[in-house]
Amino acid sequence: MAANEKYRVPEKTRIGHVHLKVSDLERALSFYNGILGFEVTQRIGDSAAFLSAGGYHHHIGLNTWHSKGAPEAVKSGVGLYHTAIVYETRKELAEVLQRLLNAEYPLTGAADHGVSEALYLNDPDGNGVELYYDRPKEEWPRKRDGSLEMFSKALHLDKLLAELQ
């Protein structure tokens, strides 16, 4: 099939979950469950766990089936760039930022993209994680022709944390 074929994925299609190979399940659970707050919905011994937000069967799968004790993910290799987790409100993004700060968990970046505000970090295995809030669609910056005009500007964390006051 040619890449220019007219087929388009159905509009209601969504990405259901991400399943990550991790080197240490407990360490990964400390991050995804302990800091980010995802609920463990199922665990398979000491080799796998499934986590959810809001009672879904799982949004995140973690396993050590082929990766127990493996070194951290390399930045220059092929594979997952980051997992993006979207929060419903700006206040919820501020709450997770406060949790990261309280845990002294390092950020690798923070950006205002016009369409969204994002926090960037790595999980304990070096996998990229983006935590973000989408602005309402009617506020997205657009060019004269109507196409999106996303950008990367500094995200002022103090202004984001002001959502908690």
Side-chain angles (χ1 to χ4, degrees), residues 85-165:
I85 299 167
V86 62
Y87 289 82
E88 183 80 17
T89 67
R90 191 169 192 261
K91 183 177 181 182
E92 290 173 350
L93 183 63
E95 289 170 343
V96 76
L97 172 58
Q98 188 64 66
R99 290 184 59 77
L100 290 163
L101 294 172
N102 291 347
E104 298 181 0
Y105 203 92
L107 295 178
T108 59
D112 178 345
H113 295 300
V115 297
S116 64
E117 294 179 315
L119 306 172
Y120 296 95
L121 56 151
N122 291 328
D123 77 2
D125 288 291
N127 296 307
V129 176
E130 176 184 1
L131 308 173
Y132 72 101
Y133 157 72
D134 266 337
R135 287 191 171 98
K137 200 172 185 176
E138 58 274 5
E139 294 177 18
W140 292 358
R142 298 197 177 268
K143 297 177 185 175
R144 287 181 184 244
D145 68 2
S147 63
L148 285 177
E149 188 168 27
M150 296 191 310
F151 49 78
S152 290
K153 295 180 181 176
L155 176 62
H156 300 285
L157 299 181
D158 55 336
K159 291 180 181 175
L160 179 58
L161 290 170
E163 290 285 328
L164 301 177
Q165 298 172 357

Side-chain angles (χ1 to χ4, degrees), residues 1 9 27 30 32 47 57-58 60 69-70 72 77 83-84 87 91 93 104 107 110 128 133 136-137 146-147:
M1 286 191 191
V9 66
R27 186 177 68 179
S30 291
Y32 288 101
S47 67
H57 55 79
H58 74 287
I60 299 171
E72 194 172 279
T83 298
Y87 289 82
K91 183 177 181 182
L93 183 63
E104 298 181 0
L107 295 178
Y133 157 72
K137 200 172 185 176
S147 63

Side-chain angles (χ1 to χ4, degrees), residues 10-27:
E11 188 175 311
K12 300 275 183 179
T13 301
R14 59 189 168 76
I15 297 174
H17 69 272
V18 62
H19 200 124
L20 301 171
K21 296 184 289 183
V22 300
S23 65
D24 182 319
L25 185 61
E26 293 306 319
R27 186 177 68 179

